[in-house]
């Protein structure tokens, strides 16, 4: 049964809270890997036009494309192979984690956990848009360094 719009957003809020918890736990357990914010790969935090465009359009395109592949396409393909939801969740999450390999081992692990959260959200709500919204907000919090700024100093 499909959830009401209100129930979808409650699920989305829970998923976002879980993602923030995963971020902080991984930062605490793997500080040598998670405090590295890239070597000049990301645009500096600022108000210039390219940064604003990247934070709005760039992150929206990332969330859209990753959720299309990681949830919708993965679910449809894996559903042809198995009816076991737990297997679909595990396999799609590992693949989602491996999609983030270029960012290091810690990112593969945290992205795999995120994949579990997103796939459960997708299966529970039946809404890809809810997953895209949560994915976008979480990426925005990470790439704007809002979550990093709340970490304890080394």
């Amino acid at each position: 049964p499909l959830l009401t719009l209100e129930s979808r957003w409650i699920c989305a809020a829970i998923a976002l809270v879980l993602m923030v918890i995963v971020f902080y736990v991984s930062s605490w357990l793997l500080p040598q890997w998670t405090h590295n914010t890239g070597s000049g790969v990301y645009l500096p935090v600022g108000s210039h036009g390219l940064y604003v465009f990247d934070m709005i359009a760039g992150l929206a395109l990332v969330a859209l494309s990753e959720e299309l592949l990681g949830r919708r396409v993965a679910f449809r393909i894996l559903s042809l192979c198995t009816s076991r939801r737990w297997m679909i969740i595990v396999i799609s999450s590992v693949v989602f984690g491996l999609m983030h390999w270029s960012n290091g081992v810690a990112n593969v692990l945290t992205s795999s956990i995120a994949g579990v959260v997103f796939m459960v959200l997708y299966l529970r709500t039946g809404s890809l848009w809810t997953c895209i919204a949560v994915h976008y907000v979480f990426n925005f919090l990470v790439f704007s360094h809002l979550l990093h700024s709340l970490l304890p100093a080394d």
Side-chain angles (χ1 to χ4, degrees), residues 90-119:
V90 169
I91 293 170
S92 66
S93 299
V94 169
V95 170
F96 185 71
L98 291 173
M99 287 170 51
H100 295 81
W101 180 256
S102 64
N103 296 324
V105 175
N107 204 293
V108 170
L109 295 174
T110 56
S111 295
S112 294
I113 295 168
V116 170
V117 172
F118 289 137
M119 185 56 90

Side-chain angles (χ1 to χ4, degrees), residues 75 77-89 123:
F75 177 74
I77 290 172
L78 293 170
S79 292
L80 297 173
C81 303
T82 184
S83 61
R84 296 182 181 135
R85 294 286 171 116
W86 68 268
M87 193 176 287
I88 292 170
I89 292 168
L123 295 174

